[in-house]
Amino acid sequence: DGDRAVRSAAVQALGAMRYMRGIQALSDLFQYLGKGDLAEAALDAVARIAHPSSAVLLTSQLTSKTAAIRGIAIEGLARMGDPAVLGSIDGVIRGERNDGVRLAGGFASAMLSDAPIDPIAEALGRPKQRDQARRYLVELAPRRAPAFAQRLQDPDPRVRADLVEVVGLARDPAALPVIEPMAKDADAQVARAAERAVARLKGAVPLFQDGKN
């Protein structure tokens, strides 16, 4: 209903803002509901905030019966940046049948062990996983321009366009030398995407400036 949609939107906003003071309320909401769209939205917000205090909750959901919740748990642990959780994540992925959860495992590997982005970039060519892959790549793009440079040679112009847009959305000016040549791509869609990405990157603040984040 409308009230539930408003609550879900509010929960998602807390995650997008990485609102630290909302962690306890979001965790309580998830544990109270246990399942359903609002529960998943609450856990997703916790995973986006990615505070170390949520590690126990997220780890406990790696074995959830719901694939979406397993995937969200993996994402949150990946964002926390502790390579020690990779063993637990790998244990889940080994027997995983759900494509989305396996892709989340690839995201975790790239985030926590600097594994290649290839499995995620390849998912751009699969309609059911394209949006998920784009989200992951936006998070992975900063400071990874060389990895994206290799993938920008993909023969599929749709994949090239997606990768160019992802790098632009990541707003890492260090990627400009990689993206600027793509404005001359033989495919018009890729070239236009590159022009937009270059404009974003030229207007972005460097990730590291004067020794500060």
Side-chain angles (χ1 to χ4, degrees), residues 90-107:
D90 288 345
V92 171
I93 297 302
R94 274 197 293 272
E96 183 59 59
R97 296 183 179 182
N98 182 275
D99 290 339
V101 178
R102 287 205 301 269
L103 190 59
F107 171 64

Side-chain angles (χ1 to χ4, degrees), residues 37-53:
D37 291 345
L38 188 55
E40 290 174 17
L43 189 66
D44 184 61
V46 170
R48 290 182 184 280
I49 296 169
H51 190 272
S53 63

Side-chain angles (χ1 to χ4, degrees), residues 14-209:
L14 292 176
M17 293 165 55
R18 299 196 68 186
Y19 186 65
M20 298 291 183
R21 293 183 181 181
I23 293 172
Q24 189 60 56
L26 291 165
S27 300
D28 290 346
L29 179 61
F30 169 73
Q31 291 176 318
Y32 174 74
L33 295 172
K35 61 182 179 179
D37 291 345
L38 188 55
E40 290 174 17
L43 189 66
D44 184 61
V46 170
R48 290 182 184 280
I49 296 169
H51 190 272
S53 63
S54 303
V56 173
L57 172 61
L58 292 170
T59 301
S60 72
Q61 298 307 311
L62 289 175
T63 54
S64 170
K65 293 180 180 179
T66 304
I69 289 178
R70 294 197 301 276
I72 290 167
I74 291 172
E75 292 172 6
L77 291 169
R79 293 182 186 116
M80 287 180 190
D82 183 2
V85 303
L86 263 178
S88 298
I89 292 173
D90 288 345
V92 171
I93 297 302
R94 274 197 293 272
E96 183 59 59
R97 296 183 179 182
N98 182 275
D99 290 339
V101 178
R102 287 205 301 269
L103 190 59
F107 171 64
S109 294
M111 288 284 280
L112 298 174
S113 67
D114 206 27
I117 64 168
D118 295 15
I120 304 170
E122 289 165 4
L124 290 171
R126 299 192 287 271
K128 289 184 178 180
Q129 291 187 290
R130 179 174 176 243
D131 288 346
Q132 183 183 0
R134 280 173 59 98
R135 286 192 292 106
Y136 291 162
L137 289 168
V138 169
E139 292 190 54
L140 288 165
R143 300 180 294 278
R144 291 174 185 253
F148 279 79
Q150 296 172 12
R151 296 302 312 185
L152 284 169
Q153 306 307 313
D154 193 286
D156 186 341
R158 291 171 299 181
V159 171
R160 295 201 303 278
D162 275 343
L163 288 168
V164 165
E165 289 179 1
V166 158
V167 175
L169 290 170
R171 294 184 178 272
D172 179 4
L176 270 170
V178 171
I179 298 301
E180 284 179 319
M182 300 302 294
K184 298 179 181 179
D185 194 277
D187 184 88
Q189 181 183 0
V190 176
R192 286 194 297 271
E195 290 172 0
R196 293 192 297 270
V198 167
R200 288 193 186 100
L201 295 173
K202 285 186 174 179
V205 176
L207 294 175
F208 291 92
Q209 192 171 38

